[in-house]
Amino acid sequence: MKVSVGISSRHLHVTKQHLEYLFGEGYKLEIDRPINQIGQFASKSFVTLKTENGLIEHVRILGPVRPYTQIEISKTDAYKLKINPPVRMSGDIKGSEPITLIGPKGTLNLNEGCIIADRHIHMLPKQAIMYGFTNDEEVMVKVPGEKACIMDCVKIRVADNSYFEMHIDNDDANANLIKNGDLLDIIKKK
Amino acid sequence: MKVSVGISSRHLHVTKQHLEYLFGEGYKLEIDRPINQIGQFASKSFVTLKTENGLIEHVRILGPVRPYTQIEISKTDAYKLKINPPVRMSGDIKGSEPITLIGPKGTLNLNEGCIIADRHIHMLPKQAIMYGFTNDEEVMVKVPGEKACIMDCVKIRVADNSYFEMHIDNDDANANLIKNGDLLDIIKKK
C-alpha cells in the first residue's frame, strides 16, 4: 500500500507559557496556512535557534500551542549548530538536546527539547485497523528512482485527528530525491 | 562483505586550462592533504559557485587537474543554487547543469559540468575479481542504526589506482546518520 510524503522543514512547537515569554504577554499564534495534520497549522511566528557555536534564523513555529516545547531539526542543521540531538518521536524530549530560542521579546535557554524527528507515518485508528497496522509498529518504505532505497525503522503513529501521511525531514528528502506528495510503498516487516 | 565510507563534501575537478583562467597563467594546485583515492588530493584552492539565483562560496578544488571540469554538489546545495543537476557518475557530464565558477582572476560560465554524484564504490581490478564484482554493477548497501536503510543502485567502479571505499555525499550521510569511516555491508543483487 502507498502513502504520500510530507517533508518537514525545521520547525518548533511551543507551550503557551514559552510563546508568551518569547513574544510578549497575551501573544497568540496566527494561522499562515493549515498543514495536513488536522487542526495544526504553520503560524506566522518565527524564532532564532542559538547554540554555543551556531545560529539558525527564521525557524517557524507550528500551532496550536502544545503541552511541551520541542524543536525539530535535521542532522544538517545539527552540524551547523554544532550539537548532537537524538533521533526521537515527537513528544519524547526527556534528556534531548539543550538549545536557546530567541524571540522578539525574550530569550529562552532550554535544558532539553531539540530532536531530530524520526521518520513516521500518521494514520487514524480506523485506518490502522483497516490496513493491519498497530501504533509504534516499525515498517519499511520503498523509495524508487535514481537514488532508490528502502527506509527501515519507519514508525507507525496511530492517533485521532491524523491525516494519513509519511513525515520525513529535508535530509531524507534530499538524499533520496523525494518530493512533497510523492507516493511511496509501505512494506510490512515479516 | 564490508566497505568503509568516505563522505564527499561539495567539490570540483578542473582542467588545466580552466584552472589558469580562474587563477591566472601558470597557476598550479598545491596539496592541502591527500585523499584516499591514490594520487588525488584536496588542494588549497577554492572557487565560488554562482547561478542566476544562488551562490555558494569556498568550494574546494580536488587535484590533480583532469581532462574535464566537473562540479559535484548535493541536492541540498542544488536547492540553495536553485538548479536541478542530474545524478551522474563522475566523468559523465554531457548535458549536465550549467554553472558559473568565480576565481580570483576570472569568471567562467560553463554550459555543463554540474552534477549530483551518484553513490559508488571504488575498487581495484584485482579486488573486483577476488570479490566477484564487475565494473558498473549495481549493488545494495545496508546502513544500520536508528535511521537504518538499504541503499539501492549503488554503482561499482573498477579502476587502477582505486582505494576500496564507498563514496556518498553529505545528504546521504546526514539522512542516514553515516560518519566517515563507517563500515557498511555490500549486498549483491539477485
Side-chain angles (χ1 to χ4, degrees):
Chain A
M1 69 167 308
K2 290 195 184 283
V3 64
S4 79
V5 175
I7 302 167
S8 301
S9 295
R10 68 180 80 99
H11 66 272
L12 67 159
H13 306 278
V14 291
T15 64
K16 183 175 180 299
Q17 184 197 6
H18 285 163
L19 180 68
E20 294 196 355
Y21 188 84
L22 292 163
F23 288 85
E25 216 184 303
Y27 189 86
K28 297 235 177 324
L29 292 172
E30 275 184 73
I31 298 176
D32 185 63
R33 56 185 165 73
I35 62 173
N36 283 335
Q37 298 306 309
I38 295 154
Q40 297 188 47
F41 58 90
S43 82
K44 294 178 176 172
S45 302
F46 297 83
V47 302
T48 293
L49 307 183
K50 192 178 176 315
T51 61
E52 205 178 324
N53 296 298
L55 199 79
I56 296 180
E57 294 176 299
H58 205 65
V59 179
R60 194 191 291 268
I61 300 176
L62 296 197
V65 292
R66 288 198 180 183
Y68 54 87
T69 291
Q70 171 177 289
I71 300 89
E72 301 180 37
I73 66 173
S74 69
K75 188 71 183 173
T76 299
D77 294 335
Y79 280 121
K80 244 179 255 168
L81 294 170
K82 298 191 176 68
I83 56 174
N84 190 23
V87 176
R88 293 280 182 85
M89 291 309 296
S90 192
D92 177 16
I93 56 166
K94 199 170 159 59
S96 62
E97 194 75 8
I99 197 160
T100 296
L101 309 181
I102 305 175
K105 295 283 172 66
T107 292
L108 189 59
N109 297 307
L110 297 170
N111 290 326
E112 61 184 23
C114 185
I115 65 169
I116 294 172
D118 208 358
R119 303 172 296 209
H120 57 276
I121 298 171
H122 290 285
M123 63 178 73
L124 289 164
K126 67 177 181 186
Q127 290 168 327
I129 292 165
M130 190 158 53
Y131 304 144
F133 293 107
T134 53
N135 191 38
D136 281 337
E137 180 176 347
E138 289 194 355
V139 298
M140 299 197 291
V141 172
K142 197 170 172 2
V143 182
E146 288 179 291
K147 295 187 72 182
C149 80
I150 297 168
M151 292 179 178
D152 200 354
C153 310
V154 178
K155 306 286 190 314
I156 300 288
R157 303 225 60 182
V158 181
D160 295 329
N161 295 323
S162 297
Y163 176 83
F164 182 49
E165 189 173 58
M166 177 178 186
H167 284 182
I168 59 173
D169 68 15
N170 288 98
D171 283 348
D172 283 314
N174 293 351
N176 303 300
L177 308 179
I178 298 169
K179 295 186 300 303
N180 255 319
D182 280 1
L183 290 173
L184 302 179
D185 283 306
I186 305 177
I187 306 167
K188 282 279 269 187
K189 290 177 83 161
K190 77 162 186 54
Chain B
M1 68 167 307
K2 290 197 183 282
V3 63
S4 78
V5 175
I7 301 167
S8 302
S9 295
R10 67 179 81 99
H11 66 272
L12 68 159
H13 307 278
V14 291
T15 64
K16 183 176 181 300
Q17 186 197 4
H18 284 163
L19 180 69
E20 295 197 355
Y21 187 86
L22 292 164
F23 289 85
E25 217 183 302
Y27 189 86
K28 297 231 177 328
L29 291 173
E30 274 185 76
I31 299 176
D32 185 63
R33 56 185 164 75
I35 62 172
N36 284 335
Q37 297 305 309
I38 295 155
Q40 297 188 47
F41 58 89
S43 82
K44 293 178 176 173
S45 303
F46 297 81
V47 302
T48 293
L49 308 183
K50 191 179 175 315
T51 61
E52 207 178 323
N53 296 299
L55 199 79
I56 297 180
E57 294 177 301
H58 206 66
V59 180
R60 195 190 289 268
I61 299 176
L62 296 197
V65 292
R66 289 197 178 183
Y68 54 87
T69 291
Q70 171 177 289
I71 300 88
E72 301 179 38
I73 66 173
S74 69
K75 187 71 183 175
T76 298
D77 294 335
Y79 280 121
K80 244 180 254 171
L81 294 170
K82 299 189 175 69
I83 57 176
N84 190 23
V87 176
R88 293 281 182 85
M89 292 308 296
S90 191
D92 177 15
I93 56 166
K94 200 171 158 59
S96 62
E97 195 74 8
I99 196 161
T100 296
L101 309 181
I102 304 174
K105 294 287 172 64
T107 292
L108 189 59
N109 298 306
L110 297 170
N111 291 325
E112 61 185 22
C114 185
I115 65 169
I116 293 173
D118 209 358
R119 303 172 295 209
H120 58 277
I121 298 171
H122 290 286
M123 63 179 71
L124 290 163
K126 67 176 180 187
Q127 289 168 326
I129 291 165
M130 192 159 51
Y131 304 145
F133 294 107
T134 54
N135 190 39
D136 282 337
E137 180 176 348
E138 289 194 356
V139 297
M140 299 196 292
V141 172
K142 197 169 171 6
V143 182
E146 287 178 291
K147 294 186 73 182
C149 80
I150 298 168
M151 293 181 177
D152 200 354
C153 309
V154 178
K155 307 283 191 315
I156 300 288
R157 303 225 59 180
V158 180
D160 294 329
N161 296 323
S162 296
Y163 176 83
F164 182 49
E165 189 174 57
M166 178 177 188
H167 283 182
I168 60 173
D169 68 16
N170 288 98
D171 283 347
D172 283 313
N174 294 352
N176 303 299
L177 308 179
I178 299 169
K179 295 185 302 300
N180 256 319
D182 280 359
L183 290 173
L184 303 180
D185 282 307
I186 306 177
I187 306 167
K188 283 280 268 190
K189 290 177 81 162
K190 77 154 189 59

